[in-house]
Amino acid sequence: MSDEKRYALTFPGTPGTQAPQDVVIVSWTSATGPGGHPVYEDASGIVRAEISDSGEVRMLASGGHQSPHLPVHAEPLPQT
């Protein structure tokens, strides 16, 4: 299990535009994802991701009819 408690997930901007990338901060939850790794979520609970010890990210749907996009980067953040 990873010692990281928070990650910054960076998602690409809108294709075909010069929109900035979106950054979402996710925090550790006590849940485990389908791959057996810890689940992290944002404050709203909408953005959920399973993140392995090696930094691999699997986005998890938090509701029906979602098709979550993969982040381009997952950066561990210092513990507060």
Side-chain angles (χ1 to χ4, degrees):
M1 178 186 202
S2 174
D3 291 331
E4 303 301 334
K5 297 295 184 188
R6 299 182 319 139
Y7 280 86
L9 301 180
T10 305
F11 296 87
T14 305
T17 70
Q18 293 185 11
Q21 295 179 325
D22 291 320
V23 177
V24 177
I25 305 300
V26 292
S27 299
W28 178 83
T29 70
S30 60
T32 301
H37 303 289
V39 172
Y40 296 77
E41 67 181 29
D42 73 338
S44 72
I46 294 172
V47 177
R48 293 176 49 87
E50 177 183 11
I51 304 176
S52 73
D53 290 342
S54 61
E56 298 169 314
V57 179
R58 177 190 306 201
M59 297 305 297
L60 305 172
S62 61
H65 306 291
Q66 281 186 328
S67 56
H69 297 283
L70 288 178
V72 292
H73 187 69
E75 179 72 28
L77 297 174
Q79 294 186 24
T80 56

